């Protein structure tokens, strides 16, 4: 597959559910390993040019962005800065350029910035309301969100875990592993010219065992059936599953490297493949369900969808109108949506 370890992750959870803590842990780990200034990008970016400059300087770069939902929403906001609208298209290009050369913009006043095998990773966090508000099915279909590993929090008020460990001090074995991975440099292939040997970027190939490959192929068949069913229903979530196998193989690649005692002994085993496939399946299933409940092409369609889902969740007990009145304050929109659902036979009303 010629894949690299560049991944895009999106953490979605309510305010105060712990999103800041996860980003801080990564910063502490990088700082303890002495690589923070070499690998961490800025907390904000202004344009695609800024991303290219960061990658040109660092080559491997991790961006951690809070409230990434606002950035995604700015893609379609007609009042948003033109520079901000270039960020997401740039991320899409870089995702697919990790195993080749990204050819930079041709500018009249500056030299083009080409980047060989750019390794960009993103961990963005946002609250669900901001993310869903900025999305329509068009954003689902364009492929950007299909590149994302989206982690939806199931607990908006998690229990606080007390610890005796010092804040900002990750476990020593984590630090040692990160330092080892960062300093590891594969040898150039035999016969490589001296100049290229000094300046080139080389890889090792981590093999996949036969059992792991069979697990990936089984996963591929499952994904194809899922996409086929969604496409038949004209369901936009079919586009979310387009890169499922690719993301699963990337996850397996990463954890196999973390498990290896030496890079030369690394291999993607059935354990790695199974974990990665189950993880991606769980994340995409949650994401697909959330899309069905929260994303529509118009406000009216979204209101209809919300009411239908709320009524469906209550089962045989039904949902009192007063509950809908509390959740949807606009009486005209609420009543029109209820009438449409009744006419279509999706719900029925009982007078008690």
């Amino acid at each position: 597959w010629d894949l690299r370890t560049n991944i895009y992750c999106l953490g979605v959870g309510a305010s105060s559910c712990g999103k800041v803590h996860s980003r801080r842990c990564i910063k502490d780990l990088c700082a303890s390993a002495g690589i923070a200034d070499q690998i961490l990008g800025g907390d904000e970016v202004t344009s695609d040019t800024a991303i290219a400059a960061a990658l040109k300087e660092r080559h491997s770069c991790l961006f951690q962005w809070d409230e990434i939902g606002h950035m995604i929403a700015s893609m379609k906001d007609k009042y948003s800065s033109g520079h901000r609208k270039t960020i997401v298209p740039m991320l899409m290009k870089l995702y697919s350029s990790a195993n080749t050369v990204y050819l930079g913009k041709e500018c009249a006043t500056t030299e083009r910035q080409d980047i060989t095998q750019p390794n960009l990773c993103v961990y963005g966090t946002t609250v669900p309301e901001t993310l869903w508000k900025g999305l329509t099915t068009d954003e689902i279909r364009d492929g950007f969100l299909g590149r994302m590993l989206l982690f939806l929090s199931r607990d908006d008020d998690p229990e606080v875990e007390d610890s005796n460990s010092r804040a900002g001090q990750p476990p020593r074995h984590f630090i040692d592993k990160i330092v080892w991975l960062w300093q590891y440099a594969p040898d150039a292939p035999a016969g490589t010219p001296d100049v290229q040997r000094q300046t080139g970027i080389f890889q090792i190939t981590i093999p996949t065992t036969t059992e792991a490959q069979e697990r990936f192929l089984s996963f591929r068949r499952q994904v194809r059936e899922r996409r086929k069913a969604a496409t038949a229903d004209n369901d936009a979530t079919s586009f979310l599953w387009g890169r499922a196998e690719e993301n699963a193989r990337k996850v397996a690649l990463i954890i196999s490297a973390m498990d290896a005692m030496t890079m030369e002994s690394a291999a993607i085993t059935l354990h790695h493949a199974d974990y990665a496939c189950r993880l991606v399946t769980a994340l995409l299933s949650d994401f697909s369900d959330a899309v069905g409940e929260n994303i529509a092409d118009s406000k009216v369609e979204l209101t209809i969808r919300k009411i239908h889902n709320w009524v469906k969740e209550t089962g045989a007990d039904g949902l009192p109108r007063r509950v809908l009145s509390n959740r949807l304050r606009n009486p005209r929109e609420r009543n029109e949506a209820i009438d449409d659902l009744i006419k279509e036979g999706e719900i029925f009303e009982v007078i008690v």
Side-chain angles (χ1 to χ4, degrees), residues 273-293:
D274 183 61
Y275 173 84
C277 292
R278 288 189 294 111
L279 173 66
V280 171
T281 298
L283 298 183
L284 285 175
S285 296
D286 280 354
F287 195 6
S288 297
D289 290 344
V291 166
E293 295 173 6

Side-chain angles (χ1 to χ4, degrees), residues 94-290:
L94 290 170
Y95 182 92
S96 302
S97 300
N99 60 354
T100 183
V101 179
Y102 169 76
L103 302 178
K105 287 183 177 180
E106 295 284 2
C107 301
T109 56
T110 59
E111 182 181 351
R112 190 178 78 184
Q113 290 192 338
D114 296 345
I115 307 171
T116 303
Q117 300 188 45
N119 183 43
L120 176 67
C121 293
V122 174
Y123 176 46
T125 55
T126 185
V127 296
E129 295 79 10
T130 302
L131 179 64
W132 308 138
K133 187 166 59 177
L135 294 178
T136 66
T137 55
D138 286 340
E139 281 74 48
I140 303 298
R141 289 186 171 93
D142 74 3
F144 174 62
L145 291 173
R147 292 166 167 80
M148 284 276 186
L149 294 171
L150 187 138
F151 294 80
L152 284 166
S153 172
R154 297 179 180 274
D155 189 352
D156 292 341
D157 186 22
E159 191 76 27
V160 176
E161 295 186 11
D162 295 324
S163 173
N164 293 323
S165 61
R166 289 181 55 196
Q169 292 294 316
R172 185 71 242 176
H173 67 280
F174 275 13
I175 299 172
D176 292 342
K177 191 73 175 187
I178 295 300
V179 170
W180 174 67
L181 287 169
W182 183 255
Q183 293 177 346
Y184 179 80
D187 294 330
T192 303
D194 290 342
V195 173
Q196 187 179 351
R197 185 180 295 273
Q198 296 299 319
T199 61
I201 297 173
F202 308 104
Q203 297 79 36
I204 65 166
T205 299
I206 294 184
T208 302
T209 66
T210 301
E211 294 81 4
Q213 178 66 2
E214 290 175 353
R215 179 66 176 94
F216 284 129
L217 294 178
S218 172
F219 181 58
R220 181 188 302 174
R221 290 190 290 270
Q222 294 171 11
V223 169
R224 284 173 61 86
E225 290 301 316
R226 178 102 184 212
R227 292 192 70 191
K228 188 183 299 183
T231 301
D233 293 337
N234 196 28
D235 186 347
T237 60
S238 64
F239 293 89
L240 295 178
W241 293 82
R243 294 182 179 271
E245 184 182 358
E246 180 178 354
N247 274 328
R249 287 180 180 269
K250 285 188 175 186
V251 171
L253 181 65
I254 292 168
I255 59 178
S256 68
M258 288 295 292
D259 278 351
M261 297 300 293
T262 66
M263 197 60 73
E264 289 72 20
S265 67
I268 297 175
T269 66
L270 176 59
H271 168 73
H272 301 134
D274 183 61
Y275 173 84
C277 292
R278 288 189 294 111
L279 173 66
V280 171
T281 298
L283 298 183
L284 285 175
S285 296
D286 280 354
F287 195 6
S288 297
D289 290 344

